[in-house]
Amino acid sequence: MTVTVKPPKKLIEVALPLDAINESAAREKSIRHGHPSTLHLWWARRPLAAARAVIFAQMVNDPSWKWELEHPGEIPPNNIKASWAASRNRLFAIIKDLVKWENTTNEAVLQKARAEIRKSWRETCELNKAHPQAAELFDPEKLPAFHDPFAGGGALPLEAQRLGLESYASDLNPVAVLINKAMIEIPPKFAGRPPVNPEARASRDAWSKQWEGAQGLAEDVRYYGQWMREQAQKHIGHLYPPVEITSDMAKERPDLKPLIGQKLTVIAWIWARTVKSPNPAFRHVDVPLASTFVLSSKEGKQSYVQPIIDGDKYHFAVKVGRPPAGAKEGTTAGKRAAFRCLMSGVPVDYNHIRSEGKAGRMGTRLMAIVAEGARGRVYLSPSPQHEIAAAKAQPEWRPDMPLPDNPRDFKTPNYGLSTFGELFTSRQLVALTTFGDLVVASRNKIIEDAHAAGLNDDGVGLDVGGAGARAYAESVAVYLAFSIDKSADYWSTICTWHSSKELIRNTFGRQAIPITWDYVETNVFSDSTGNVSSGIEWAQKAIVNFPAKPDGHATQADAQRQSISLRKIISTDPPYYDNIGYADLSDFFYIWLRRSLRQVFPELFATLAVPKAEELVATPYRHGSKERAETFFLNGMTQAMQQLCEQAHPSSPVTIYYAFKQSETETAEGTSSTGWETFLDAVIRSGFALTGTWPMRTELENRMIGSGTNALASSIVLVCRARPAAAETVSRRAFLRELNQVLPEALDEMTRGSGDDRSPVAPVDLSQAIIGPGMAVFSKYAAVLEADGTPMTVQTALRLINRFLAEDDFDHDSQFCLHWFEQYGWKEGRFGEADTLARAKGTSVDGVKQSGVLFAAGGVVRLLKWAEYPTDWNPLGDERLPVWEALHHLIRIFKAEGESGAGKVLAAVAAKAEATRQLSYRLYTLCERAGWAEDARAYNEIITSWSAIESAAAAAPKAHQGELFG
């Protein structure tokens, strides 16, 4: 007889303090100093706060677990439910402390969380002590290990380790593997050791100091990073000359007079790409492709480039003061024409630019020099000496690896820049190769210094787990190589100048490599953005925040075939269909890491580029068609999920992140996207059943990739357990009947919360959140059969679930307004169409007009916006008050008088309060899908302030409410 594991229900399967998690996750995006993301760039990292909260809630038993096991299917009495709520609040208090950034390394807070995890683990072990594999699966003295098979940027393995679990990270991508080694594997290996550099050894205080965690390692990274900078300065410093302010320069620029005779450090050189003019009269002239001539737009500090034409020649001069008309546009001429010829004004279209670039005739011209003055940036005209200095650079090596044939994310091949080496200037290549070679040299120097410090050399390197002098030197070299990668992000011709902030934009402002027309070349030896020391400083600050124990392990492995997950707790953040081409993008860094670290990790860097064939991303350009790409993703992700389903430790659910993309929402059908459907299909096919879903707002809206784009906004965390082998099959009718039983209660819990023990779901997340309980019903069955006997698809199930949101039962006038708004918004429509719709909804146009929410005259009909509603309105005397009208009066008064005023309205329309709240949710969802941001914001404000409005309503003087609206 098979003995099954008794898994206690976990907190994440019941409730979470979403508001606290979301707030901390969003705040974390603006944290820089000491954050792991500053160690090395990775795309779409999960916030540490969310990772920490999810893993904690995944490991900790919900207070209801005993009742659920002992009284399956029974409804608990209220006093027991109250005790659960109190226990959950205690756990939520731990989570609320745990997710705060300032508590990331707070041992008192972390110990509380670890104690709860150990307590739940002991309960689980006691519950399963009679299991035949109890000794292997349920050792109360040893927590199960953690594994993330799509480790990526490493947030999840790092936070599992911080919570006390031995952590395993694996990824197919060698750059991701190295990031995880640097975060979870190396710091514990050398925890508590003093630095080995001669400066520290010469200092008695430094040598006798108690070095906690990875402090000693961080100090050596700082020291040897500085040593690299000094050595590089000796070799290539002449390529980065200062700029001397002369009296001749001051004649043209009186503002430079105080600086005469000073040698200013250059921060950056701003170059414009050029092509031959398409005008035959100027065919011999290389004309600039300048996206702007504005250098600084700060009030009182404006500077700009002025092109000066002299016959068939031109030069650039930098001026101070308010830029003239047209300076902001540079030589651009709209999308179709692209640019205009500086000499003749004729259009320079993209076809001409592409042909010039592919023919090798795209050049560059220095537009301006940015120097560091005593009181900020100083903008200077181009100097022939500085152009000569740049031309002296002769790189010994150029990465000639072709850029990916990925037209969505890589635009430079269209313009002749088709290899990675062509993304850099000669001077940038000299700097990168020089520093890369110095990483190798520093490794040898550290081995010598480690020997002098008494560290034995056991002859075993870092790649096979050594911890001696050689392994230590290789560890420091990893962080030094990362600092060069950090620099590479600022040392390419994709970098541009930010005129309002007066700083350099890095290469990866978005998850792609675009073409840039005027680019910035950084002075690697300055003290400003992009200098080599900043990458070293970022690494040093991040290292000290990494856990010193327990052990961590990072390995290269294909998620479809790995067996690392066996008997481990699993939380993972897999690729999101086709959103990000990780392998293609990370080649940018791989080429430099391979040059520096191939001797350290020969297997990891055995290939010339990052492995791509097995990468689980649905990229049509790689597979030949959209259909083939989708099939590849579905099959591969199903296989990867099946590995997790079969191998995961049976005591806890598996948690899987999926980042929902707003552009994938289909207005007519509800929340439905190819990526989302395909991903869910893979999860369910693998044998998983969903036991919960949690939408988490993990992205900032002000980041570059989110500005004006359909960027990733929410992560949905799926909570999954293996579906029982004996799962039954049901009919479509039975499935719908169960949905109609489950979803109303789930929707009420989501929009209201459940007392103090859970947070209400934000309107923007509601369409996604309702998928959770709906798919929980769908996925628990082996199949849901249609009338013709075929299995229901995930797409159909999603549409049935989302249709539920559109069927709220409002009064007839409100139903008319809702459907009219869905079609026309606030715009005008024809009376005949309005009359037809009104009849279908059981009302009339005149009746709706009488309620005060509609304009109807001259054959034209439109809904009135809340600002048009009468200010002398009294709800107590309103004989025809649809929910639509109540909501929009509520918005009008909320905007004018805040929560107290809105509370008076709510008190007066108390019988319609619940319907008003539901209508606001419905309208928010509709506006968000349609892209009506202003309207969406108004409905969202009502929802997010609902508790405060209810409190104000309860405090309203009921006996005199009639006077409140007089």
Side-chain angles (χ1 to χ4, degrees), residues 197 199 218-234 435 438 442 445-446 476 479-480 483-484 524-527 531-537 540:
N197 70 76
E199 183 182 279
E219 172 58 23
D220 276 336
V221 170
R222 181 205 63 78
Y223 176 87
Y224 293 104
Q226 180 62 29
W227 177 83
M228 282 172 46
R229 175 174 175 144
E230 292 167 358
Q231 295 301 307
Q233 184 95 48
K234 295 175 185 177
F435 278 102
L438 283 167
S442 69
K445 180 174 173 54
I446 298 166
V476 175
Y479 300 106
L480 295 178
S483 73
I484 306 310
V524 305
F525 298 113
S526 77
D527 293 325
N531 78 87
V532 68
S533 296
S534 62
I536 295 163
E537 182 183 351
Q540 179 193 4

Side-chain angles (χ1 to χ4, degrees), residues 5 7 58 121 133 137-138 144-147 149 562-572 640-656 688 720-722:
V5 170
Q58 178 179 355
W121 175 242
Q133 293 179 288
L137 290 174
F138 299 103
F146 171 90
H147 179 224
Q562 59 82 24
S563 58
I564 306 168
S565 293
L566 188 62
R567 296 173 181 168
K568 293 181 177 67
I569 305 300
I570 299 168
S571 184
T572 191
M641 292 296 122
Q642 191 170 357
Q643 294 291 99
L644 305 189
C645 186
E646 293 174 356
Q647 296 183 48
H649 198 287
S651 66
S652 292
V654 171
T655 55
I656 307 168
F688 274 128
C720 310
R721 288 190 184 266

Side-chain angles (χ1 to χ4, degrees), residues 243-247 256-264:
V243 59
E244 184 175 357
I245 308 299
T246 65
S247 55
L256 297 178
K257 284 183 179 179
L259 302 175
I260 292 175
Q262 293 187 27
K263 291 185 177 181
L264 305 182

Side-chain angles (χ1 to χ4, degrees), residues 305-457:
V305 173
Q306 180 179 327
I308 299 172
I309 299 172
D310 182 12
D312 63 350
K313 298 179 181 179
Y314 69 92
H315 67 276
F316 294 119
V318 170
K319 305 291 184 180
V320 295
R322 193 171 297 278
K328 185 178 180 181
E329 289 74 32
T331 61
T332 61
K335 287 187 176 181
R336 184 166 296 178
F339 291 89
R340 57 180 174 80
C341 171
L342 180 65
M343 310 304 292
S344 63
V346 303
V348 183
D349 63 24
Y350 284 117
N351 288 333
H352 177 75
I353 299 170
R354 290 183 185 117
S355 64
E356 287 290 291
K358 290 178 179 178
R361 291 190 294 268
M362 184 180 284
T364 57
R365 185 78 176 262
L366 185 60
M367 281 206 308
I369 298 172
V370 188
E372 187 67 80
R375 297 184 178 180
R377 308 289 191 248
V378 178
Y379 297 92
L380 302 167
S381 299
S383 158
Q385 292 83 358
H386 281 256
E387 291 192 87
I388 292 169
K392 287 180 181 177
Q394 297 297 321
E396 296 178 0
W397 179 74
R398 291 177 181 269
D400 57 3
M401 187 171 69
L403 286 161
D405 180 20
N406 178 347
R408 184 190 70 174
D409 297 333
F410 291 79
K411 303 300 183 185
T412 63
N414 293 333
Y415 303 93
L417 306 177
S418 56
T419 68
F420 278 96
E422 289 169 330
L423 299 179
F424 304 92
T425 67
S426 292
R427 182 160 51 182
Q428 288 169 335
L429 288 171
V430 167
L432 286 165
T433 53
T434 297
F435 278 102
D437 292 345
L438 283 167
V439 170
V440 178
S442 69
R443 196 171 74 234
N444 297 327
K445 180 174 173 54
I446 298 166
I447 291 175
E448 294 177 8
D449 292 341
H451 287 155
L455 193 61
N456 294 326
D457 188 358

Side-chain angles (χ1 to χ4, degrees), residues 132-323:
Q133 293 179 288
E136 302 169 39
L137 290 174
F138 299 103
D139 181 353
E141 302 303 318
K142 185 180 180 181
L143 288 170
F146 171 90
H147 179 224
D148 178 359
F150 295 100
L156 278 62
L158 177 68
E159 294 312 312
Q161 187 180 48
R162 207 185 304 278
L163 289 171
L165 279 66
E166 184 177 4
S167 192
Y168 288 77
S170 63
D171 203 291
L172 183 64
N173 192 310
V175 178
V177 174
L178 201 59
I179 291 172
N180 279 274
K181 282 183 179 292
M183 289 168 58
I184 68 169
E185 186 174 293
I186 294 174
K189 191 182 295 290
F190 300 104
R193 292 192 182 183
V196 303
N197 70 76
E199 183 182 279
R201 284 187 285 114
S203 168
R204 180 172 296 180
D205 290 340
W207 194 245
S208 61
K209 173 184 172 181
Q210 182 67 38
W211 295 87
E212 296 181 0
Q215 288 178 347
L217 181 65
E219 172 58 23
D220 276 336
V221 170
R222 181 205 63 78
Y223 176 87
Y224 293 104
Q226 180 62 29
W227 177 83
M228 282 172 46
R229 175 174 175 144
E230 292 167 358
Q231 295 301 307
Q233 184 95 48
K234 295 175 185 177
H235 290 90
I236 62 172
H238 64 281
L239 299 178
Y240 299 88
V243 59
E244 184 175 357
I245 308 299
T246 65
S247 55
D248 287 342
M249 295 166 67
K251 286 178 183 178
E252 296 291 327
R253 290 267 303 275
D255 62 298
L256 297 178
K257 284 183 179 179
L259 302 175
I260 292 175
Q262 293 187 27
K263 291 185 177 181
L264 305 182
T265 300
V266 175
I267 295 170
W269 294 268
I270 301 179
W271 302 80
R273 300 191 198 274
T274 62
V275 294
K276 297 294 183 184
S277 171
N279 186 331
F282 296 98
R283 185 64 181 165
H284 59 292
V285 181
D286 295 304
V287 294
L289 308 175
S291 62
T292 184
F293 286 136
V294 176
L295 299 171
S296 173
S297 58
K298 282 188 176 180
E299 192 65 34
K301 295 183 179 180
Q302 293 101 326
S303 294
Y304 61 95
V305 173
Q306 180 179 327
I308 299 172
I309 299 172
D310 182 12
D312 63 350
K313 298 179 181 179
Y314 69 92
H315 67 276
F316 294 119
V318 170
K319 305 291 184 180
V320 295
R322 193 171 297 278

Side-chain angles (χ1 to χ4, degrees), residues 61 67-68 88 207 290 327 365 490 530 554 586 624 719 732 747 769:
N61 297 338
W67 176 276
E68 296 280 351
R88 285 186 194 125
W207 194 245
R365 185 78 176 262
Y490 284 90
S586 57
V719 186
R732 177 189 177 106
L747 182 66

Side-chain angles (χ1 to χ4, degrees), residues 878-899:
D878 194 334
E879 296 181 357
R880 184 165 183 151
L881 180 58
V883 172
W884 182 275
E885 182 185 8
L887 171 60
H888 290 86
H889 271 299
L890 189 70
I891 292 172
R892 174 182 64 82
I893 294 175
F894 177 80
K895 287 183 173 294
E897 303 176 23
E899 294 160 354

